[in-house]
Amino acid sequence: PNEEKPATIMNMPLFPLNHVVLFPGMVLPLHIFEPRYREMIDRCVAEQLPFGVLLIKEGREVGGDAIPHTVGTAARIVRVERMDDGRMNITAVGGQRFRVKEFHSDQRYLTGTVEHYPIVNGGTRLADEIAHRVRPRLIEYVEMLSRASQQQLKLDRLPEDATTLAFMVAIAMQLGHTDKQALLELSGIPDMLARELYLLSRELLLLGHMVDTHADIMAMSMGPTGYILPN
């Protein structure tokens, strides 16, 4: 087995968010309005630092009493649009995963001592085997999601690489934050892909039920004594 490199430990500005689980490779647009986060982003831009995105476990996003999860993803800022009143719109991209060893509150914004949380076993035969089973399920899922949402969703060519595929599925699936966070915390790519295979099957069943039920309701509402349900 490949030996892991020693974990890199550093101090990082942290941004707890209520409704976002950031994955490597994921694009994250954010509107920054709280003064403490403006200060944090200014520092990250000036020093070319990443900031860590963590899903909030409990508490509020605005106001500062949030308790976040301890596994997150570093975000690198790629675009900043500043407004006259000091607010800003930024675009960041997910990079490496990390785990928080200790939170610090000596700045106006949250910081933490974090260690790199490496993604392992992406190049194994097991990862390739599960990826081979995940691809057709993902295609099926996107087709079913198109039918359920009545929108034309399109998949670009699926990645050959198991690691890229695992994160693409995690980003693309319409899941609750608890499911997404659990995926992010899995250490190995085979574990992540196996979990995604289960989640794709579960969501396909739910979406199929939604599509069938919608068709039944529409059929019932089109009769001579029925009425068209409002959209």
Side-chain angles (χ1 to χ4, degrees), residues 220-228:
M220 284 160 57
S221 67
M222 294 293 279
T225 56
Y227 63 95
I228 303 284

Side-chain angles (χ1 to χ4, degrees), residues 126-141 165-166 169-170 173 175 183 186 189-205:
L126 181 59
D128 285 342
E129 284 171 2
I130 307 173
H132 187 65
R133 291 164 60 200
V134 165
R135 286 188 192 93
R137 298 302 270 171
L138 179 61
I139 292 164
E140 203 181 332
Y141 171 76
L165 180 72
V169 175
M173 284 187 77
L175 295 170
L183 276 176
L186 292 170
I189 292 300
D191 298 334
M192 199 178 283
L193 287 165
R195 179 71 187 160
E196 286 169 349
L197 198 56
Y198 163 76
L199 290 168
L200 283 166
S201 300
R202 184 190 77 183
E203 294 302 300
L204 276 164
L205 281 172

Side-chain angles (χ1 to χ4, degrees), residues 119-201:
I119 297 150
V120 298
N121 298 330
T124 58
R125 183 181 293 179
L126 181 59
D128 285 342
E129 284 171 2
I130 307 173
H132 187 65
R133 291 164 60 200
V134 165
R135 286 188 192 93
R137 298 302 270 171
L138 179 61
I139 292 164
E140 203 181 332
Y141 171 76
V142 172
E143 285 171 357
M144 188 66 83
L145 200 59
S146 293
R147 286 173 62 193
S149 62
Q150 297 183 326
Q151 293 174 331
Q152 192 53 49
L153 305 172
K154 194 164 72 74
L155 260 187
D156 292 329
R157 198 163 58 84
L158 295 181
E160 294 295 316
D161 172 59
T163 301
T164 310
L165 180 72
F167 286 122
M168 179 186 174
V169 175
I171 293 164
M173 284 187 77
Q174 306 294 298
L175 295 170
H177 307 117
T178 307
D179 278 328
K180 291 229 176 196
Q181 181 65 28
L183 276 176
L184 183 68
E185 292 186 8
L186 292 170
S187 61
I189 292 300
D191 298 334
M192 199 178 283
L193 287 165
R195 179 71 187 160
E196 286 169 349
L197 198 56
Y198 163 76
L199 290 168
L200 283 166
S201 300

Side-chain angles (χ1 to χ4, degrees), residues 88-99:
M88 52 185 112
N89 292 319
I90 70 166
T91 305
V93 178
Q96 293 187 329
R97 293 190 311 184
F98 64 87
R99 192 191 296 277

Side-chain angles (χ1 to χ4, degrees), residues 37-92:
Y37 288 122
R38 290 188 219 166
E39 185 183 315
M40 186 189 88
I41 296 302
D42 281 337
R43 180 190 161 198
C44 289
V45 170
E47 299 178 27
Q48 295 191 311
L49 280 175
F51 62 91
V53 174
L54 293 167
L55 179 70
I56 291 172
K57 196 188 291 186
E58 52 188 86
R60 292 174 305 137
E61 191 170 290
V62 178
D65 60 354
I67 298 168
H69 287 268
T70 54
V71 173
T73 301
R76 192 161 290 283
I77 299 165
V78 293
R79 192 178 139 273
V80 181
E81 178 198 347
R82 296 178 186 276
M83 296 168 196
D84 295 340
D85 60 4
R87 291 177 302 141
M88 52 185 112
N89 292 319
I90 70 166
T91 305

